[in-house]
């Protein structure tokens, strides 16, 4: 998978090297996809939140999704192979590392963390008690500390952990920049933050449903948020289901692993002021219910999409045996 880095001017770029013509064409398509994604994201102001990008809607969305999350969502969007690949940049290279897994939900990502770090050094935090109930039931996570809390207002001290990991959570944050500043605050100097999340689609139909459902950041937005928070050595590693064959135009619910290193002690140099939203805010059912229903309906598109891509992969695989250029039809 390609890894994006910031160059000396602060611009995002992928490393280049001499490769066969076919690989260069594929890489050129990746760069074009990045550029198109950036253009698309500029048309959707960050203050215009998506339907399920509010804490109350996300809470109830997962109240029901938690029942089938590990059996339906993960197989289509977040496989064990993807988890292994996404966690590699997090540098989980010692059993005694202290790790915060923020927005860890049912503990699927946490299972990958405890393969490298002793569970007694890991804390899993999520705002959904229903998701956390699933995590608590997993035998491999019995030694993990499991807490209910807010990713944008972490209940941890400054400079208190070696690694910060968050997978599949940022899409529900009303203020993603605040959540990333919180990651910076709780890390020790030299600590690594690893953010695994969606990427914005360029296909017009997929872009419509993505923007209606939840936050799908562009790769450039991830890089900007990490850099503004104060992180250095910011990099992006692209991930995706194997049966997508590298196709990214439809966006991905788990499409990249972003990492950054905290250079100095203390909170982020970026001061954001008071938090914009919390679940304790005044509840308005006349606003909440339509947002929840319409947002869930928009999200259904992304439950059907991986099935379409899986069937298309089977078809293309069969055609490749007859016509080798069939892969270009993806």
């Amino acid at each position: 998978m390609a890894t994006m880095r910031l160059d000396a001017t602060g611009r995002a770029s992928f490393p280049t090297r001499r490769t066969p013509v076919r690989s260069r064409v594929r890489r050129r398509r990746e760069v074009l996809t990045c550029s198109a994604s950036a253009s698309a994201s500029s048309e959707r102001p960050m203050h215009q939140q998506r339907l399920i990008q509010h804490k109350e809607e996300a809470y109830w969305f997962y109240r029901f999704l938690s029942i089938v999350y590990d059996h339906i969502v993960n197989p289509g969007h977040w496989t064990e192979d993807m988890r292994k690949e996404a966690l590699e940049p997090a540098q989980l290279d010692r059993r005694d590392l202290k790790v915060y897994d923020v927005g860890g939900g049912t503990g699927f990502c946490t299972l990958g963390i405890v393969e490298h770090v002793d569970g007694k050094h890991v804390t899993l935090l999520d705002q959904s008690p229903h998701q956390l109930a699933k995590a608590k039931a997993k035998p491999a996570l019995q030694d993990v500390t499991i807490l209910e809390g807010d990713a944008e207002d972490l209940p941890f001290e400054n400079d208190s952990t070696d690694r910060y990991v968050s997978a599949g959570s940022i899409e529900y944050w009303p203020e993603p920049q605040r959540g990333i500043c919180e990651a910076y605050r709780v890390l020790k100097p030299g600590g690594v933050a690893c953010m695994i999340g969606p990427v914005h689609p360029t296909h017009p139909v997929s872009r419509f449903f993505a923007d209606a459902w939840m936050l799908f950041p562009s790769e450039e937005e991830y890089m900007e948020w990490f850099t503004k928070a104060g992180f250095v050595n910011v990099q992006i590693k692209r991930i995706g289901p194997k049966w997508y064959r590298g196709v990214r135009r439809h966006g991905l619910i788990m499409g990249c692993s972003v990492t950054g290193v905290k250079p100095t002690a203390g909170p982020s140099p970026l001061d954001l002021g008071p938090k914009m939203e919390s679940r304790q805010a005044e509840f308005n059912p006349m606003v909440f219910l339509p947002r929840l229903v319409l947002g869930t309906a928009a999200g259904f598109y992304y439950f059907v999409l991986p099935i379409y891509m899986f069937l298309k992969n089977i078809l293309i695989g069969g055609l490749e045996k007859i016509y080798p250029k069939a892969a270009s039809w993806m």
Side-chain angles (χ1 to χ4, degrees), residues 105 110 122-126 131-138 141-148:
T110 324
V122 178
T123 298
L124 188 165
L125 178 141
D126 198 277
Q131 292 279 80
L132 293 178
K134 298 290 184 180
K136 291 175 180 177
K138 291 181 167 64
L141 303 182
Q142 294 307 301
D143 292 335
V144 172
T145 300
I146 298 178
L147 301 174
E148 186 175 339

Side-chain angles (χ1 to χ4, degrees), residues 1-203:
M1 292 289 177
T3 301
M4 182 187 285
R5 294 181 173 87
L6 288 180
D7 62 21
T9 65
R11 297 172 61 187
S13 63
F14 285 93
T16 58
R17 62 176 184 268
R18 293 188 64 83
T19 54
V21 171
R22 184 174 298 176
S23 297
R24 291 203 299 272
V25 170
R26 187 180 299 115
R27 179 165 298 157
R28 195 170 296 119
R29 287 173 180 166
E30 287 183 338
V31 172
L32 288 173
T33 300
C34 266
S35 301
S37 185
S39 300
S41 68
S42 66
E43 299 169 2
R44 49 186 185 98
M46 287 304 303
H47 66 273
Q48 295 181 3
Q49 295 175 1
R50 266 50 82 192
L51 293 171
I52 307 292
Q53 199 191 343
H54 287 268
K55 296 185 187 297
E56 194 67 36
E57 285 87 352
Y59 175 90
W60 286 102
F61 182 72
Y62 273 104
R63 168 64 181 87
F64 301 103
L65 189 61
S66 62
I67 300 170
V68 296
Y69 191 90
D70 286 335
H71 306 291
I72 294 179
V73 178
N74 285 340
H77 299 282
W78 184 216
T79 65
E80 291 185 6
D81 288 343
M82 290 172 62
R83 180 181 67 191
K84 180 179 179 180
E85 194 170 2
L87 286 174
E88 284 178 359
Q91 301 178 36
L92 303 173
D93 48 12
R94 295 202 325 266
R95 301 296 308 180
D96 63 345
L97 287 172
K98 187 174 182 179
V99 182
Y100 295 156
D101 182 11
V102 175
T106 65
F108 180 77
C109 186
T110 324
L111 289 173
I113 293 171
V114 298
E115 290 179 2
H116 307 280
V117 178
D118 292 339
K120 63 184 179 181
H121 301 304
V122 178
T123 298
L124 188 165
L125 178 141
D126 198 277
Q127 79 147 0
S128 168
H130 314 101
Q131 292 279 80
L132 293 178
K134 298 290 184 180
K136 291 175 180 177
K138 291 181 167 64
L141 303 182
Q142 294 307 301
D143 292 335
V144 172
T145 300
I146 298 178
L147 301 174
E148 186 175 339
D150 187 345
E152 295 178 351
D153 188 14
L154 295 175
F156 308 126
E157 298 293 328
N158 293 1
D159 310 316
S160 57
T161 191
D162 300 300
R163 300 289 185 269
Y164 169 103
V165 175
S166 182
S169 181
I170 190 173
E171 54 265 39
Y172 304 108
W173 298 356
E175 298 180 88
Q177 181 69 78
R178 185 178 300 278
I180 293 171
C181 286
E182 277 290 272
Y184 185 98
R185 179 182 67 79
V186 301
L187 277 168
K188 298 175 183 178
V192 178
C194 178
M195 184 77 62
I196 305 162
V199 290
H200 196 250
T202 57
H203 190 283

Side-chain angles (χ1 to χ4, degrees), residues 172-248:
Y172 304 108
W173 298 356
E175 298 180 88
Q177 181 69 78
R178 185 178 300 278
I180 293 171
C181 286
E182 277 290 272
Y184 185 98
R185 179 182 67 79
V186 301
L187 277 168
K188 298 175 183 178
V192 178
C194 178
M195 184 77 62
I196 305 162
V199 290
H200 196 250
T202 57
H203 190 283
V205 174
S206 298
R207 189 166 65 240
F208 171 82
F209 285 105
D211 287 345
W213 181 24
M214 62 182 186
L215 176 64
F216 281 70
S218 69
E219 292 174 338
E220 288 77 11
E221 284 171 329
Y222 281 113
M223 304 289 277
E224 180 182 358
W225 291 331
F226 265 68
T227 303
K228 283 185 175 180
F231 285 103
V232 298
N233 194 25
V234 181
Q235 300 183 22
I236 283 187
K237 181 177 183 180
R238 289 176 168 178
I239 60 173
K242 291 181 178 178
W243 60 90
Y244 275 54
R245 294 176 175 246
V247 172
R248 301 176 70 81

Side-chain angles (χ1 to χ4, degrees), residues 196-319:
I196 305 162
V199 290
H200 196 250
T202 57
H203 190 283
V205 174
S206 298
R207 189 166 65 240
F208 171 82
F209 285 105
D211 287 345
W213 181 24
M214 62 182 186
L215 176 64
F216 281 70
S218 69
E219 292 174 338
E220 288 77 11
E221 284 171 329
Y222 281 113
M223 304 289 277
E224 180 182 358
W225 291 331
F226 265 68
T227 303
K228 283 185 175 180
F231 285 103
V232 298
N233 194 25
V234 181
Q235 300 183 22
I236 283 187
K237 181 177 183 180
R238 289 176 168 178
I239 60 173
K242 291 181 178 178
W243 60 90
Y244 275 54
R245 294 176 175 246
V247 172
R248 301 176 70 81
R249 63 180 175 271
H250 295 292
L252 292 161
I253 290 181
M254 292 294 197
C256 65
S257 176
V258 189
T259 51
V261 178
K262 179 176 179 175
T264 57
S268 169
L270 183 62
D271 184 8
L272 295 175
K275 190 169 67 166
M276 183 174 69
E277 179 184 310
S278 69
R279 282 205 63 234
Q280 285 69 43
E282 183 178 351
F283 178 71
N284 185 345
M286 299 302 293
V287 175
F288 164 76
L289 289 174
R291 292 184 66 91
L292 179 64
V293 172
L294 292 174
T296 302
F300 183 72
Y301 173 85
Y302 274 91
F303 288 91
V304 175
L305 181 62
I307 299 173
Y308 162 74
M309 296 299 290
F310 181 78
L311 295 175
K312 190 173 183 179
N313 176 58
I314 293 175
L315 176 62
I316 296 298
L319 291 174

